[in-house]
Amino acid sequence: MRNVSTHSGKGISAVLQKNPDDVVITFAKRTAMGRNRKGQFKDIPVDEMMQALLKATFEKTKLDPAKLDDICVGTCHPPSPMYSSRAAALASGIPHDVPISTVNRLCASGLMAIRNIAHAIQSGEISMGMAIGVENMTLNPRPTPIIAESVDKIPRAHDCIQPMGWTSEMVAQTYKVSRQKQDEYALISHTRANKAMTTGIFDEEIIPVEIRGTVISVDDTIRPGVTTEMLSGLKPVFQDWGNAATTAGNASGIGDGAALCILTTRERAEKENMEILGKWVGSAVVGVEPRYMGIGPIAAIPKVLTQVGLTKDDIDIYEINEAFASQFAYCVEELGISMDKINPNGGAIAVTHPLGMTGLRQVVTGLTELRRRDKKLLCTSMCVGSGMGAAGIFVNEAQPFREAKL
């Protein structure tokens, strides 16, 4: 299999090496998160969210949008996502001759948007592009998949379209992840995210957007003061499946938000005096047994590390999506990675999980935290609905913040 990475060399020295043809990230921000049904984006469709994010980005970067060669949008459930994305780009001032595409690999869609633009730059087809991840799960919740009866009678095919909550319970039951353990991991996420919000850590990764006369700049999804007692007192939400251990407190939130990265070659970034925040190294995608969808990172992370010649100990920070505490706890313990390195500012259980946004949000969050700590290597990963997993490797190259928030 071809090594899908920025440069052909393997190992930490090759990964950290700077080459003119490297794919680099020159801008990476996200919107604040919005709660499902009651939050700040509950009435804002994805095209309007994208338009606001694009306008804020061009105002902040002063980038001439005509310089973009291509745009890729990761999004999952809005109707006519291609038309909505194209319309949002045109409405934000992007010229009509800048093309756009959309990609849907469910929870990995945002990472796939980055991957698609990075690969286009690597191939020489483009030299600058934009990756966007966006989802409004209030307005566009997961539709019920419909497959033919002849397809549905095949067990794996049947399993791959089941609700994500069912897969959570299958992981918990099969791999013996107790309710107590799920709540323990959930508490870590809630506690870390609350601290990050109250100390202003998230301010560095959020770009304020103005929509309908209101500036949105603070997550409204993070619940303060979550305790063990509160989590243990919640009723299971899937009482007919497995051991019924998944609750609203130990599963990812269903929410709304958008994130964005600008990518180009190192040579062009340096020529045009663009700040280089990070370097794209490579990615990997895998398939897993559909009923155990949540174990995807266990296969994806070793695969991407092997592709680029790194070990798990080389990575400074992991952003591993917390779809459910059941699968997250099992992945962490099977991978043998210290929680000191994983989701230092909490994850989707606390901040929420807009499907198309998450893969890109993890990169924004991870690179910002590496900059704050003056560390180098980021690995992002997530399980993917229908039975898949994905992972990516990035290098922080940004100058440290002058006054790190501790």
Side-chain angles (χ1 to χ4, degrees):
M1 177 176 173
R2 187 173 70 86
N3 179 36
V4 185
S5 59
T6 297
H7 223 253
S8 58
K10 287 188 176 185
I12 193 164
S13 60
V15 166
L16 297 178
Q17 185 178 346
K18 297 180 179 180
N19 306 287
D21 60 347
D22 288 339
V23 176
V24 298
I25 297 170
T26 62
F27 187 76
K29 292 287 184 181
R30 70 171 177 91
T31 68
M33 298 290 200
R35 290 176 60 198
N36 185 49
R37 298 181 182 177
K38 299 179 181 179
Q40 51 204 351
F41 290 118
K42 65 181 176 64
D43 300 316
I44 312 298
V46 293
D47 52 336
E48 195 171 359
M49 293 168 68
M50 278 190 280
Q51 179 190 21
L53 176 59
L54 288 165
K55 283 186 172 182
T57 296
F58 294 133
E59 183 177 341
K60 178 77 172 177
T61 63
K62 309 304 179 188
L63 176 70
D64 178 358
K67 291 184 175 182
L68 294 170
D69 297 314
D70 201 3
I71 301 167
C72 186
V73 179
T75 193
C76 302
H77 297 324
S80 303
M82 182 63 243
Y83 286 108
S84 296
S85 300
R86 174 70 166 158
L90 295 170
S92 70
I94 294 174
H96 70 274
D97 56 357
V98 176
I100 194 168
S101 67
T102 60
V103 60
N104 180 358
R105 202 191 292 266
L106 299 176
C107 310
S109 298
L111 179 61
M112 294 301 101
I114 295 175
R115 180 193 197 220
N116 287 358
I117 293 297
H119 286 183
I121 294 172
Q122 288 174 322
S123 73
E125 291 185 11
I126 70 173
S127 68
M128 183 180 293
M130 178 182 285
I132 301 171
V134 63
E135 207 75 44
N136 187 309
M137 298 186 72
T138 297
L139 296 178
N140 310 122
R142 177 186 186 262
T144 300
I146 300 173
I147 59 177
E149 183 178 349
S150 61
V151 174
D152 189 55
K153 70 180 182 180
I154 306 303
R156 281 198 177 109
H158 174 83
D159 288 351
C160 90
I161 67 165
Q162 297 310 303
M164 295 301 97
W166 177 78
T167 70
S168 171
E169 296 295 350
M170 292 303 99
V171 168
Q173 183 180 59
T174 301
Y175 299 109
K176 297 178 172 53
V177 185
S178 69
R179 165 70 184 271
Q180 180 180 346
K181 179 174 286 188
Q182 292 179 52
D183 286 348
E184 287 170 356
Y185 275 90
L187 183 63
I188 293 172
S189 185
H190 288 295
T191 303
R192 289 179 176 181
N194 188 59
K195 181 180 178 181
M197 185 177 72
T198 56
T199 58
I201 286 175
F202 286 145
D203 296 348
E204 302 289 355
E205 64 190 66
I206 294 174
I207 185 169
V209 294
E210 183 174 352
I211 300 179
R212 302 179 187 180
T214 299
V215 175
I216 297 172
S217 61
V218 179
D219 297 321
D220 69 8
T221 53
I222 298 170
R223 290 169 275 194
V226 175
T227 65
T228 300
E229 291 73 25
M230 290 170 61
L231 291 172
S232 64
L234 294 172
K235 295 181 179 179
V237 291
F238 309 119
Q239 298 194 25
D240 297 330
W241 297 332
N243 295 327
T246 303
T247 72
N250 65 29
S252 61
I254 300 171
D256 318 319
L260 177 154
C261 286
I262 297 172
L263 300 95
T264 186
T265 62
R266 184 181 303 279
E267 182 177 40
R268 182 169 181 181
E270 291 176 346
K271 182 179 179 180
E272 299 189 16
N273 295 315
M274 302 174 77
E275 181 184 14
I276 296 176
L277 300 180
K279 169 183 167 182
W280 154 269
V281 180
S283 66
V285 291
V286 299
V288 298
E289 190 68 48
R291 70 167 45 216
Y292 308 127
M293 177 277 307
I295 69 173
I298 296 173
I301 289 174
K303 183 175 181 179
V304 77
L305 291 174
T306 299
Q307 283 179 183
V308 301
L310 297 176
T311 70
K312 66 182 181 181
D313 293 332
D314 290 328
I315 303 299
D316 294 301
I317 288 178
Y318 289 84
E319 284 287 331
I320 301 176
N321 193 41
E322 302 166 352
F324 299 94
S326 58
Q327 58 81 213
F328 178 70
Y330 183 66
C331 287
V332 170
E333 295 182 7
E334 281 295 301
L335 288 164
I337 301 168
S338 169
M339 275 300 292
D340 292 340
K341 286 189 171 186
I342 301 175
N343 301 354
N345 296 316
I349 287 174
V351 300
T352 202
H353 175 30
L355 297 190
M357 176 198 189
T358 289
L360 219 149
R361 193 277 303 168
Q362 290 178 312
V363 176
V364 174
T365 298
L367 286 178
T368 305
E369 182 62 16
L370 284 173
R371 184 177 188 179
R372 196 174 73 89
R373 297 183 178 204
D374 195 18
K375 298 291 185 180
K376 286 295 182 186
L377 292 174
L378 168 68
C379 178
T380 69
S381 187
M382 67 288 292
C383 55
V384 179
S386 80
M388 293 184 284
I393 303 291
F394 301 83
V395 179
N396 166 47
E397 294 189 9
Q399 293 297 314
F401 293 121
R402 290 176 182 172
E403 292 183 14
K405 295 181 176 69
L406 300 176

